[in-house]
Amino acid sequence: IMSASVAVGPHHLTLFNLAMSFDDYVNERHAGEIWSFIQKTVHANQAYLLMGNFNTLGAGPDSPMWDFFTGQYKLKNVQACNQDAWAELHPIWPPSSMTYSPWFPTSRPDIVFYGNPARAPGRPYLKPIRARLSKAETVAESYEQVECNTSIEVGERWEIGHQLSDHAPLVVDFAISTWEERGAGRAADSSETTS
């Protein structure tokens, strides 16, 4: 698991990115450790994002990892409490939510979870406002080889010699405001997250 703390306007968010194993037993053992790490890392007044490849075979409630990270399943008396950004905006089950594989979608291993701090004045409030999948073909339209150590500028077309991934990119836009502003329908900033 990788983590970073970022400032978005006056708010500070903690971002976590991970790639879990294909082995369900290993994942169950690590899930509790990951949740413990998140709880120790995130300050009480911070919102956070937990995203990555959870290597789940299902699309949601049929996956033990999804159940654990959304708080519907306990592991050794540990219970997480996150929201699934995609599920907040879309149904989980149609193939349009599946990220693996983009050519023959069968599962949803790539997930963006988020969590808000306890409700209190001035604390940030994250809300997903748009979630979409990009087709892998649109990421790499040209198949010319890029040499190693080539830097790519933001917005520049990335021409590669092979497909970037066997997963469809999941892009989620979030609005961030305070708990007080959320009731007024105002969003201080928005940010985009890609898993």
Side-chain angles (χ1 to χ4, degrees):
I1 187 167
M2 297 181 297
S3 66
S5 183
V6 297
V8 180
H11 308 289
H12 292 274
L13 303 174
T14 304
L15 309 176
F16 299 94
N17 194 323
L18 57 76
M20 296 191 81
S21 169
F22 285 110
D23 185 321
D24 287 339
Y25 174 76
V26 171
N27 284 347
E28 282 197 24
R29 192 176 76 229
H30 289 157
E33 295 168 1
I34 289 166
W35 182 240
S36 177
F37 176 73
I38 290 169
Q39 289 181 303
K40 290 175 187 172
T41 305
V42 175
H43 298 283
N45 61 348
Q46 283 185 323
Y48 62 90
L49 296 172
L50 169 61
M51 61 194 135
N53 181 353
F54 289 80
N55 272 318
T56 57
L57 294 177
D62 61 342
S63 160
M65 288 300 93
W66 189 89
D67 285 348
F68 172 73
F69 282 107
T70 57
Q72 298 177 43
Y73 171 67
K74 285 185 180 181
L75 288 173
K76 298 179 184 174
N77 291 324
V78 174
Q79 186 169 10
C81 56
N82 302 286
Q83 286 88 27
D84 178 343
W86 181 274
E88 293 285 317
L89 300 168
H90 303 286
I92 293 176
W93 295 108
S96 63
S97 72
M98 307 298 180
T99 59
Y100 180 81
S101 118
W103 306 279
F104 184 70
T106 58
S107 64
R108 186 174 168 251
D110 306 289
I111 303 171
V112 176
F113 291 115
Y114 69 99
N116 285 305
R119 192 174 306 202
R123 288 188 176 172
Y125 176 79
L126 273 177
K127 178 182 179 181
I129 54 175
R130 189 170 90 162
R132 62 207 176 278
L133 298 181
S134 295
K135 298 294 181 210
E137 293 85 358
T138 64
V139 175
E141 295 174 10
S142 174
Y143 293 100
E144 296 175 23
Q145 187 65 40
V146 173
E147 293 182 30
C148 291
N149 301 320
T150 301
S151 65
I152 307 287
E153 296 298 321
V154 174
E156 181 180 353
R157 183 186 296 188
W158 192 343
E159 298 177 347
I160 60 171
H162 59 280
Q163 202 62 44
L164 286 176
S165 175
D166 58 349
H167 295 241
L170 169 61
V171 181
V172 180
D173 297 330
F174 283 88
I176 183 168
S177 60
T178 63
W179 279 96
E180 301 89 352
E181 291 169 331
R182 83 179 173 95
R186 292 178 19 212
D189 295 290
S190 66
S191 60
E192 186 172 280
T193 302
T194 304
S195 172

